Amino acid sequence: MLETESDVSSAVSATMRSKPGGTTGYPTPEDVGRLRRHPRFGEASLHAAAGITRQYEGNWVLNRLLGDRGRTIMGLAILDLHYNRADEGGLTATALKHHCTELGICSPGRVTAMLGALKMLGLLAEVHGTDRRVRRLRPTDRFLALHRDRRRCFFEALAKVMPEGELALQREGDPDFVAAHMAAFARMFMSGMRLVDYVPELETVFRRDAGMLILMMLAVEARREGRDPFASLAVTITGLAKRASASRGHVLSVLRDAEEQAMVVRSGERGDGIAVTGSLLEAVDRFVAAILSLHLVAIREVPALKGPDPFA
């Protein structure tokens, strides 16, 4: 018997309501699976994947200085320190290094390199206070806009399958909502949650710079309207390298890993023909569903949204 949109939404919401405030910390694989069963999830997944690829294409510094997980958690740590840790000193290089080394994301030296790159790109700026011993930093409007656009993309995708997504879109301009959502979202990553646990077959890809970005580009191309998703894609190794700000050799290495996992099929004398398999589309869908589930939990932890239950 096919499940309706309301059936799936109610089941997901009931599960998320049963563990508010981090009693389990973050969604289980079963939670992610429930969200994926929503009849409109394919539409939501494509919207999110297309948004991610648009944002990261060409950001060579962000794609090269850190792996995907490191970049994600560092960005969250920056925002959490900025929005929610003012009474603890706010955003400083020392605080960020402590976060990243404690979680095993990267070395203090890599944090320093990333901070330098972010300042060079106009994404971070120094705050000149009265105490010159404390060198506070702040994300610039450009940095906040990048994360706002990415967050909004996920909220739009979530709104296609859950009413909380629409509620979040309505509150996106409220600084209190953004701070509370960011605190809840960052908490899940800081407590040890790993996206790779939801898609363990992608662990090798996650370790590579822009590895997930490359696979998501392929998934988006495969799902363009009117085409057979499993037919050979109109992409080239050189084109993928340019879009991912990577070398051809790096892209080929990612594709070889994906080929070993039966996620892509390469053809032609030089292996330039690329087609995706159902395994890749399944993995990307699970990856997106995991992120949307995290946002769903974070949205429901915002105090102002704990009023009237949209599923009551």
Side-chain angles (χ1 to χ4, degrees):
M1 179 176 171
L2 292 176
E3 296 174 288
T4 66
E5 292 184 21
S6 60
D7 289 337
V8 176
S9 295
S10 297
V12 172
S13 180
T15 304
M16 297 302 183
R17 281 202 303 271
S18 70
K19 43 187 177 187
T23 55
T24 62
Y26 32 81
T28 66
E30 290 74 22
D31 296 329
V32 173
R34 290 187 188 94
L35 189 64
R36 285 201 58 235
R37 289 201 297 271
H38 193 285
R40 293 187 66 194
F41 178 77
E43 181 184 345
S45 181
L46 180 57
H47 182 90
I52 291 171
T53 58
R54 279 195 303 270
Q55 186 173 49
Y56 277 103
E57 284 180 19
N59 279 331
W60 67 270
V61 172
L62 297 183
N63 284 329
R64 298 296 291 177
L65 281 184
L66 284 172
D68 292 331
R69 179 172 179 259
R71 182 176 58 245
T72 296
I73 298 181
M74 183 178 284
L76 291 174
I78 287 172
L79 291 172
D80 189 40
L81 288 166
H82 170 70
Y83 281 118
N84 301 302
R85 307 296 180 91
D87 57 342
E88 301 173 18
L91 174 58
T92 65
T94 299
L96 191 60
K97 288 176 183 178
H98 174 74
H99 269 306
C100 292
T101 55
E102 188 176 61
L103 293 169
I105 301 304
C106 60
S107 67
R110 186 61 67 88
V111 174
T112 299
M114 190 67 171
L115 289 176
L118 291 173
K119 286 191 281 188
M120 179 186 69
L121 292 171
L123 297 173
L124 284 183
E126 291 191 11
V127 178
H128 300 288
T130 55
D131 188 349
R132 294 186 178 182
R133 295 171 300 175
V134 180
R135 301 183 65 180
R136 292 278 295 272
L137 299 167
R138 65 172 178 82
T140 64
D141 290 343
R142 184 183 175 197
F143 183 96
L144 296 176
L146 286 171
H147 281 270
R148 181 179 63 245
D149 291 346
R150 181 169 59 181
R151 197 165 54 239
R152 184 173 183 83
C153 174
F154 284 124
F155 289 166
E156 289 170 348
L158 185 60
K160 297 179 184 296
V161 293
M162 296 294 293
E164 282 93 338
E166 186 59 45
L167 290 172
L169 286 171
Q170 294 170 11
R171 296 288 305 281
E172 173 58 27
D174 179 356
D176 291 336
F177 167 79
V178 174
H181 173 271
M182 183 51 54
F185 198 74
R187 170 192 57 75
M188 289 183 275
F189 279 87
M190 300 301 177
S191 65
M193 189 282 305
R194 302 191 316 154
L195 283 171
V196 72
D197 291 337
Y198 299 99
V199 278
E201 65 269 37
L202 293 178
E203 184 158 14
T204 301
V205 172
F206 276 134
R207 293 200 194 104
R208 294 188 176 278
D209 295 339
M212 194 63 212
L213 175 63
I214 292 168
L215 294 194
M216 294 188 85
M217 287 176 181
L218 297 179
V220 171
E221 292 294 332
R223 283 175 161 162
R224 289 196 182 280
E225 187 175 358
R227 74 177 310 281
D228 176 358
F230 304 117
S232 187
L233 301 175
V235 298
T236 64
I237 306 296
T238 300
L240 288 172
K242 182 177 180 180
R243 293 169 65 188
S245 302
S247 67
R248 276 179 52 90
H250 183 75
V251 172
L252 285 168
S253 183
V254 171
L255 291 177
R256 280 194 291 269
D257 288 342
E259 194 171 23
E260 289 178 4
Q261 296 286 333
M263 292 184 185
V264 302
V265 177
R266 297 170 61 203
S267 58
E269 291 184 7
R270 301 176 57 189
D272 288 338
I274 306 169
V276 307
T277 69
S279 295
L280 183 140
L281 299 181
E282 153 71 19
V284 169
D285 278 349
R286 213 168 340 116
F287 174 74
V288 171
I291 296 177
L292 296 185
S293 296
L294 295 173
H295 278 293
L296 181 58
V297 169
I299 291 166
R300 293 198 62 86
E301 288 191 21
V302 176
L305 294 184
K306 287 185 177 178
D309 190 332
F311 300 98

